[in-house]
Amino acid sequence: MGGTHCCRTSAVVDDAEFVKLDGGDEPNGDGEQHADGQVAPDTSQTNLSCAEHVGGTNNRSGDVAEFNAHVVCVSEHAGFHVDVADGVSVFVMKLEENTAKAWKIANPHGPTLLANDRIVRANGVGGDSSKLIHELQSSRSWDLGVQRPKEVSVTIDRKGGPLLGLDLQYAPNGTTLVVSGVGEGPVREWNEQQPPNGVRIEKFDRIAEINGARGCAKMLMAAAAERDRSLHMTILKFGGSAA
């Protein structure tokens, strides 16, 4: 676990085990095992081997998309990298190129999994990242519930104070920070100033960018620690509940 930072606390969350759907050896604990059996240094992310046939429907809530997709997995060396730092979903960090092509070819007019989507249900299982990963690992056919975020720009005035009042978690090699709580501080004050139907920074939101830093959770933490400037942030907000 990480130490205390200006944002209140930052917990480094171990990601789930490597998930392999096409048989073969299990990871040996020395790092992440890829589909070709080679072991790479620990990247603290999960590679999900996937996916030839996809079908689904879109359901939009405001500007935030939700969709269901049916996925039949094959034994090709395809996959996507995820983090499970929020504890309730499977967040997609990156799709391998052949994975994206497989999804698109199988259903060119249907929904396509993208980076920053989060999987909240798999074959009726939801609400717990470890259970979702287990289901994705144990089944070769997935009925998925996927949420696509809306990106919202937020500027927080730090007012020279050391604490933002945010509890943050992140995967060691993640691309975003997970908001696990909002306490006293500039962020709560900003939330209280928003209109009844306005945007608020809430639990399970993800911070994708801070003052131009993007794509690396540790860089985002460093940007959040700068006390003498306002924070210009891009927040990923998801429709519906994953818990």
Side-chain angles (χ1 to χ4, degrees), residues 48-59:
L48 298 179
S49 204
C50 82
E52 182 179 64
H53 174 75
V54 183
T57 58
N58 285 325
N59 175 31

Side-chain angles (χ1 to χ4, degrees), residues 35 37 59 78 86 92 107 112 126 128 189 196 210 217 219 240 242:
N59 175 31
D86 65 10
V92 179
N107 192 357
T112 301
D128 185 297
E189 293 174 7
I210 300 177
M219 289 176 60

Side-chain angles (χ1 to χ4, degrees), residues 5-7 158 164 220-228 231:
H5 295 265
C6 71
C7 303
R158 302 206 64 157
L164 283 174
L220 291 169
M221 283 302 305
E226 298 178 1
R227 302 183 182 184
D228 298 329
L231 298 184

Side-chain angles (χ1 to χ4, degrees), residues 6 20 104 129 170 211 230 241:
C6 71
K20 186 178 176 66
K104 192 65 176 177
S129 296
Y170 64 97
N211 291 344
S230 296
S241 173

